[in-house]
């Protein structure tokens, strides 16, 4: 961007002329008189000085960052792993710090109100007893969990992290459209929105006046660390797993804050305490930032059909041995019907009116309110009373307006009477608009802002910005990404420059000890190593097959026949499409990597994605011979590049050890299988060459033996050479050294079961001669490698 002009732009600017004609009753860029709000001035000045190609290039930088970072969301479909590109709207929403302070003041009051309400609902129930809240709205609510009644959180508070969906009404004031208290999502995505937007608009002005986000996360992390803790207890994030639509955010936040990411199966409850299953044995957990809905959290006391939770978690809460962010049962605060009563409850509980009103709501379980809803049905959204969805999260599909059978006033009235306590009417949302870039111009689109709040020792603090949800077209009921909406960064602008914020606290700097490794993460790293090595082995065999096919020109070359047989032993057809042969191991590798994404670097994930995308882009009808061999060579270089990147960049802790063990077992087993097929006593002419090519050891053999390959020289090099990283002995020795560094490698002077399998295998290979390594001996090696894998699984991964 160029240096901004000194004279501010007016509404006559070409960017704004057409925009002013399309903007809604309330707009973020223009005031009610059609004049640009001052806070937008510097940004619009800079944008107006860019040409169309420059703007396109700026937006492309942000999109490329998101792709490189692997930012995605999951769109609901029959495919649980369906990923979609992050739908960034490149123009930020800009608010002045004075207006933001007013928003936060009103939401602080609301946060305290919600805390008082949920404490009462699971405590003395005075709101119901005194008639301020109908009993059936609690008793029939699926988010009210009876086993939690009477439980007092260890921290003394039910709510620690909140999100509020707010929108500007036509009169310019702000409305709360919904409360998010169960497991609020979006804070991590807000960080990524900011990172992408910085790349779109990299120049320091006006960014120098935009409030930073890191301080909020530092304050919340410190607040979690200060919660009551058992000795040695850790803080972790509890996720439903990779099938969740916001799983990327869970992994990103875990990596950003240095927290352990856990699934329900990673935890167990022993003697009322929550323990994490790790490769070192159970380790205590004191704080769980819950991203899992309460009903799934404990199949023992809540939903018995849940496979996502941890049996006994409620009992650990009951004994005050674990802090949950937020407490189980807090999801009841999100239900639509409650909004009908919060204004009155605020008067009773707080002794004051709500500073930021919520969306006007009428519960149909009351006669007067039901009559009002029936009389004004055309102007209201009518939906399920116990739903936690916002009206624009799902369009208007859960109300009567899409049902042809309810189009007459009589039918609609009967339907409302029948549903009564199960229905609410809500004020139809007329949201303010904000600028969005559409092709070559600014256009207004409806939007709402999600505001995040965290409880600290000093009170509630707010993320200065957050993210805005932008509607598709002019439809205010289609803000959800599932409905095709997009998201934008929110800038809170100061009048003066802001200081840099980071997560780093120089006063409390200390190097953390090695992080514990959950058994599930170790299992996925172990199998990631195996799948990647297995895929490389398949690529090398297929390439050898097609190279021989190109040389021989016919299918009956004995080497071709033997390679084909070896591929069939792997359940592969040598003549099928490359993508068909390689998709299973690479897809499995990507699934395993996705489950430990919080432990993966951006470059590592991008390299794996590039590998799988390159496979997907191969032409299915690729010509046999040279063309296929060349394509396989490209894949081979990419897969070795991925392995090298991950291997070199991973910290040498337990995660690296299990990944390396998986690779070593698979490489040693593959080498044994190839030697059995191509270097046995009955191997024909040219067969040992295939084994050398498979092991990428042709040059090494030439330098080491200076004769043409024979069965004995190839067996010596690929089975018994302790200096050759492709040799079985080299890999077994590497596994033995790693196993000695695993937890509980020796107990009371006795080696672990894994070492008991590796030590004799290493000794046998160390003293064996090439002539002794016949097919039967190699098969025993493979059996022993399988035993090592089983013992690793039994002792560390289950």
């Amino acid at each position: 961007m160029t240096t901004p002009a000194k004279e501010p732009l007016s509404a006559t600017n070409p960017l704004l002329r057409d925009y002013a004609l399309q903007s809604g009753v309330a707009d973020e860029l223009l005031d009610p008189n059609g004049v640009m709000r001052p806070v937008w001035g510097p940004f619009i000045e800079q944008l107006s000085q860019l040409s169309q190609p420059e703007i396109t290039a700026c937006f492309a930088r942000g999109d490329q960052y998101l792709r490189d970072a692997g930012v995605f969301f999951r769109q609901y479909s029959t495919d649980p792993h369906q990923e979609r590109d992050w739908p960034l709207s490149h123009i930020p929403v800009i608010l002045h710090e004075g207006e933001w302070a007013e928003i936060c003041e009103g939401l602080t009051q609301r946060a305290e109100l919600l805390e008082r309400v949920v404490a009462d609902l699971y405590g003395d129930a005075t709101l119901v007893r005194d008639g301020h809240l109908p009993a059936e709205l609690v008793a029939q609510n699926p988010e009210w969990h009876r086993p939690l009644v009477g439980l007092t959180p260890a921290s003394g508070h039910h709510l620690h992290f909140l999100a509020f969906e707010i929108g500007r009404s036509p009169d310019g004031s702000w409305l709360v459209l919904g409360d998010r208290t169960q497991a609020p999502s979006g804070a991590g995505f807000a960080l990524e929105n900011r990172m992408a937007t910085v790349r779109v608009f990299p120049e320091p002005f006006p960014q120098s006046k935009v409030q930073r986000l890191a301080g909020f996360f530092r304050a919340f992390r410190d607040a979690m660390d200060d919660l009551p803790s058992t000795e040695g207890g850790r803080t972790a994030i509890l996720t439903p797993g990779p099938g969740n639509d916001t799983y990327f955010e869970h992994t990103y936040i875990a990596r950003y804050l240095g927290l352990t990411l856990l699934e329900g199966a990673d935890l167990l409850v022993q003697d009322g305490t929550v323990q994490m299953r790790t490769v070192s044995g159970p380790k205590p957990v004191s704080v769980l930032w819950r991203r899992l809905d309460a009903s799934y959290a404990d199949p023992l006391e809540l939903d018995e059909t849940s496979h996502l939770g941890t049996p006994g978690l409620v009992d650990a809460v009951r004994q005050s041995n674990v802090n949950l962010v937020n407490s189980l049962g807090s999801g009841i605060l999100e239900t639509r019907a409650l909004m009908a009563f919060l204004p009155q409850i605020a008067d009773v509980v707080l002794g004051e009116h709500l500073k930021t009103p919520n969306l006007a709501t009428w519960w149909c379980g009351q006669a007067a309110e039901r009559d009002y809803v029936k009389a004004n049905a055309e102007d209201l959204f009518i939906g399920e009373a116990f739903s936690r969805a916002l009206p624009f999260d799902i369009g208007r599909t859960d109300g009567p307006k899409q049902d042809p059978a309810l189009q007459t006033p009589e039918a609609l009235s009967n339907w409302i009477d029948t549903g009564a306590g199960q229905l609410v009417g809500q004020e139809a949302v007329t949201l303010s608009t904000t600028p969005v870039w559409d092709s070559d111009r600014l256009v207004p689109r409806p939007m709402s802002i999600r505001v995040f709040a965290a409880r600290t020792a000093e009170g509630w603090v707010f993320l200065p910005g957050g993210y805005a949800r932008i509607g598709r077209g002019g439809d205010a009921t289609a803000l959800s990404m599932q409905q095709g909406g997009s998201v934008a960064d929110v800038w809170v602008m100061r009048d003066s420059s802001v200081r840099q914020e980071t997560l780093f606290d120089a006063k409390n700097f200390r190097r953390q000890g090695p992080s514990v490794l959950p058994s599930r993460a170790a299992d996925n790293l172990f199998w990631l190593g195996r799948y990647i090595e297995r895929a490389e082995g398949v690529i090398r065999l297929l390439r050898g097959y097609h190279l021989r096919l190109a040389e021989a020109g016919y299918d009956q070359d004995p080497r071709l026949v033997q390679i084909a047989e070896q591929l069939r032993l792997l359940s592969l057809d040598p003549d099928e499409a490359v993508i068909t042969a390689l998709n299973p191991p690479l897809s499995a590798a990507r699934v395993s990597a996705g489950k430990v994404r919080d432990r993966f670097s951006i470059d590592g994930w991008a390299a794996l994605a590039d590998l799988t995308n390159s496979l997907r882009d191969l032409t299915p009808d690729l010509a046999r011979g040279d063309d296929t061999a060349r394509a396989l060579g490209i894949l081979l270089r990419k897969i070795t590049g991925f392995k090298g990147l991950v291997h070199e960049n991973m910290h040498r802790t337990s995660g690296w050890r299990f990944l390396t063990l998986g690779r070593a077992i698979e490489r040693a087993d593959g080498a044994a299988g190839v030697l059995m097929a191509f270097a046995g006593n009955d191997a024909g002419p040219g067969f040992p060459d295939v084994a050398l090519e498979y092991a990428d050891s042709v040059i090494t053999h030439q330098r080491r033996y200076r004769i043409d390959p024979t069965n004995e020289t190839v067996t010596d090099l690929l089975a018994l050479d302790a200096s050759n990283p492709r040799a079985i002995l080299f890999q077994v020795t590497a596994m033995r050294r790693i196993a000695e560094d695993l937890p509980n490698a020796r107990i009371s002077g006795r080696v672990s079961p894994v070492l008991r399998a590796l030590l004799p295998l290493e000794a046998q290979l160390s003293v064996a001669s090439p002539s002794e390594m016949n097919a039967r001996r190699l098969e025993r090696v493979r059996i022993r490698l399988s035993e090592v894998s089983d013992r690793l699984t039994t002792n560390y991964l289950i």
Side-chain angles (χ1 to χ4, degrees):
M1 291 185 182
T2 57
T3 304
K6 294 181 180 180
E7 293 297 325
L9 298 174
S10 69
T12 60
N13 184 278
L15 281 177
L16 304 182
R17 286 183 194 139
D18 293 339
Y19 183 91
L21 297 175
Q22 302 176 59
S23 60
V25 177
D27 186 78
E28 297 306 312
L29 174 60
L30 303 178
D31 66 19
N33 297 317
V35 177
M36 184 172 59
R37 299 180 190 272
V39 72
W40 282 84
F43 176 80
I44 295 297
E45 287 185 54
Q46 288 199 353
L47 187 64
S48 66
Q49 295 180 39
L50 296 176
S51 66
Q52 178 63 37
E54 287 175 325
I55 291 175
T56 300
C58 286
F59 292 170
R61 283 199 301 266
D63 294 338
Q64 187 62 52
Y65 164 78
L66 293 169
R67 285 192 296 270
D68 291 345
V71 185
F72 68 91
F73 77 101
R74 298 202 187 281
Q75 191 168 42
Y76 297 132
S77 69
T78 55
D79 181 359
H81 301 293
Q82 190 65 44
E83 296 179 1
R84 293 286 184 268
D85 289 340
W86 188 244
L88 179 69
S89 181
H90 304 91
I91 305 297
V93 176
I94 305 178
L95 299 173
H96 189 268
E97 63 174 342
E99 184 173 26
W100 186 254
E102 293 178 5
I103 291 172
C104 295
E105 181 183 358
L107 296 181
T108 297
Q109 179 205 44
R110 191 175 186 88
E112 289 302 322
L113 173 63
L114 294 175
E115 172 69 37
R116 299 276 290 274
V117 169
V118 71
D120 182 78
L121 292 178
Y122 289 101
D124 296 335
T126 58
L127 293 174
V128 172
R129 185 185 63 210
D130 296 343
H132 302 300
L133 195 61
E136 62 184 285
L137 280 186
V138 178
Q140 295 181 15
N141 197 313
E143 293 301 326
W144 186 72
H145 301 291
R146 191 176 297 276
L148 304 174
V149 173
L151 270 63
T152 301
S155 66
H157 298 289
H158 290 266
L159 304 177
H160 304 86
F161 191 85
L162 301 175
F164 303 95
E165 202 79 28
I166 65 173
R168 194 190 295 273
S169 64
D171 66 3
S173 63
W174 291 93
L175 286 172
V176 174
L177 308 174
D179 303 298
R180 289 290 172 255
T181 57
Q182 172 86 270
S185 64
F189 287 128
L191 279 170
E192 286 290 20
N193 288 343
R194 177 62 54 86
M195 295 295 292
T197 306
V198 166
R199 282 161 173 78
V200 173
F201 306 108
E203 302 249 347
F205 183 83
Q207 286 267 0
S208 62
K209 297 184 178 181
V210 179
Q211 292 193 28
R212 306 296 195 256
L213 306 182
F216 170 83
F217 290 98
R218 184 183 66 245
F220 180 51
R221 182 191 61 189
D222 293 346
M224 287 193 292
D225 289 343
D226 290 340
L227 291 173
S229 175
T230 56
E231 183 177 356
R234 290 166 170 79
T235 300
I237 297 177
L238 179 60
T239 175
N244 186 263
D245 60 329
T246 58
Y247 179 70
F248 171 84
E249 184 197 11
H250 306 167
T251 65
Y252 181 82
I253 286 288
R255 192 164 56 231
Y256 182 69
L257 295 181
L259 302 178
T260 304
L261 186 66
L262 301 175
E263 297 181 24
D266 294 327
L267 300 170
L268 71 156
V269 177
Q270 294 180 330
D271 300 324
T273 63
V274 178
Q275 304 281 330
M276 179 197 329
R277 305 176 195 266
T278 79
V279 296
S280 305
K283 301 294 182 182
V285 176
S286 294
V287 180
L288 283 173
W289 184 358
R290 180 173 62 86
R291 305 304 299 270
L292 176 73
D293 282 2
S295 58
Y296 301 119
D298 185 349
L300 195 63
E301 297 201 48
L302 299 173
D303 184 350
E304 63 183 13
T305 66
S306 171
H307 297 286
L308 302 176
T310 305
L313 184 60
V314 171
D315 187 54
V317 174
R318 188 177 288 119
Q319 297 187 42
S320 297
N321 288 332
V322 66
N323 298 279
L324 296 183
V325 178
N326 291 319
S327 68
L328 297 172
S330 57
I332 192 173
L333 299 171
E334 296 185 0
T335 50
R336 290 174 181 158
L338 189 65
M339 297 184 79
F341 300 92
L342 283 179
Q344 177 188 353
I345 292 174
D347 293 337
V348 173
V349 173
L350 302 179
E352 56 189 18
H353 296 316
L354 286 176
K355 297 177 182 178
T356 305
N358 57 238
L359 196 64
T361 304
W362 297 266
W363 178 53
C364 295
Q366 296 168 301
E369 284 75 8
R370 182 166 63 250
D371 290 342
Y372 179 87
V373 171
K374 289 192 291 185
N376 296 275
E378 286 300 314
D379 299 321
L380 299 176
F381 167 80
I382 303 176
E384 298 173 2
F386 297 124
S387 173
R388 293 185 291 128
L390 302 176
F392 45 76
D393 277 339
I394 52 175
R396 299 181 186 275
T397 56
D398 72 339
K401 298 190 178 184
Q402 303 298 322
D403 190 343
L406 301 177
Q407 296 306 304
T408 66
E410 294 79 14
L412 183 61
S413 178
N414 290 335
W415 178 77
I416 293 174
D417 285 335
T418 301
Q422 301 296 315
L423 297 172
V424 294
Q426 288 188 299
E427 174 186 3
V429 182
T430 303
L431 295 175
S432 64
T433 52
T434 195
V436 171
W437 191 262
D438 185 6
S439 298
D440 59 354
R441 60 195 179 118
L442 290 175
V443 296
R445 292 286 183 264
M447 71 97 202
S448 69
I449 295 176
R450 182 164 292 187
V451 184
F452 299 95
R455 185 189 295 278
T456 69
E458 290 73 37
W460 290 98
V461 297
F462 289 81
L463 184 69
Y467 78 80
R469 302 209 285 174
I470 311 296
R472 184 187 66 233
D475 187 0
T477 67
L479 300 192
S480 166
M481 288 185 293
Q482 304 293 343
Q483 295 289 319
S486 57
V487 295
D489 192 11
V490 178
W491 291 0
V492 176
M493 299 283 290
R494 298 188 62 181
D495 294 326
S496 57
S497 296
V498 300
R499 66 183 181 90
Q500 290 287 344
E501 290 277 6
T502 70
L503 291 179
F504 177 67
D505 184 356
K507 296 179 181 178
N508 297 315
F509 169 75
R510 65 184 183 279
R511 175 180 289 174
Q512 299 291 331
S515 61
V516 295
L517 182 66
S519 296
R520 177 189 54 82
D523 184 60
N524 281 291
L525 288 166
F526 175 74
W527 280 101
L528 172 62
R530 295 202 65 168
Y531 287 133
I532 285 294
E533 196 67 36
R534 186 174 302 174
E536 182 185 337
V538 172
I539 291 174
R540 290 184 178 278
L541 281 173
L542 282 171
R543 188 176 68 159
Y545 178 83
H546 285 278
L547 285 174
R548 299 303 181 285
L549 186 63
E551 293 171 3
Y554 64 98
D555 293 350
Q556 297 308 310
D557 183 308
R559 296 171 301 170
L560 276 172
V561 174
Q562 186 63 30
I563 295 174
E565 180 61 28
Q566 192 70 10
L567 287 165
R568 290 188 183 98
L569 290 175
L570 300 174
S571 302
L572 299 173
D573 182 348
D575 293 317
E576 68 185 353
V578 170
I579 188 172
T580 306
L582 290 175
N583 192 56
L586 286 181
S587 292
R590 186 168 177 123
V591 169
S592 293
K595 292 179 179 179
V596 288
R597 193 162 179 179
D598 57 310
R599 298 173 182 273
F600 251 77
S601 70
I602 291 176
D603 287 337
W605 183 259
L608 181 57
D610 181 51
L611 176 63
T612 54
N613 290 339
S614 297
L615 175 64
R616 183 193 60 205
D617 294 340
L618 288 181
T619 305
D621 56 353
L622 201 62
R624 301 169 71 206
D626 275 338
D627 288 351
T628 298
R630 193 174 300 110
L632 286 164
I634 294 172
L635 291 177
L636 183 60
R637 289 189 289 275
K638 289 193 174 185
I639 199 168
T640 53
F642 165 75
K643 293 196 314 182
L645 181 68
V646 172
H647 180 78
E648 292 302 318
N649 290 348
M650 283 189 73
H651 198 261
R652 286 342 190 224
T653 50
S654 293
W656 174 84
R657 295 185 185 109
F658 282 96
L659 177 71
T660 305
L661 284 168
R663 289 177 55 186
I665 288 175
E666 198 69 34
R667 178 173 288 189
D669 181 75
V674 165
L675 285 173
M676 291 170 64
F678 297 100
N681 293 330
D682 55 350
F687 276 44
D689 300 69
V690 176
L692 286 177
E693 185 180 295
Y694 170 87
D696 197 19
S697 298
V698 174
I699 294 178
T700 304
H701 185 277
Q702 291 173 346
R703 291 182 177 275
R704 194 164 178 79
Y705 300 97
R706 292 200 275 184
I707 61 173
D708 289 337
T710 67
N711 294 338
E712 283 203 351
T713 60
V714 169
T715 299
D716 183 53
L717 181 63
L718 301 187
L720 306 178
D721 192 333
S723 300
N724 181 14
R726 291 283 174 179
I728 298 172
L729 175 57
F730 182 97
Q731 296 299 328
V732 170
T733 300
M735 284 188 277
R736 187 262 303 164
R737 290 171 177 164
I738 292 173
E740 288 175 341
D741 290 331
L742 292 179
N744 303 318
R746 284 179 170 79
I747 300 178
S748 301
R750 184 170 176 79
V751 298
S752 70
V754 176
L755 281 170
R756 286 204 299 273
L758 283 169
L759 286 169
L761 177 58
E762 183 183 20
Q764 292 163 15
L765 291 170
S766 297
V767 300
S769 65
S771 60
E772 294 174 327
M773 298 304 295
N774 54 30
R776 196 172 79 174
R777 188 79 171 265
L778 287 167
E779 182 60 32
R780 286 206 299 268
V781 169
R782 300 185 78 179
I783 291 172
R784 184 55 62 93
L785 289 170
S786 178
E787 183 181 346
V788 171
S789 179
D790 290 342
R791 292 188 179 187
L792 273 169
T793 300
T794 300
N795 287 272
Y796 296 103
L797 307 182
I798 296 180

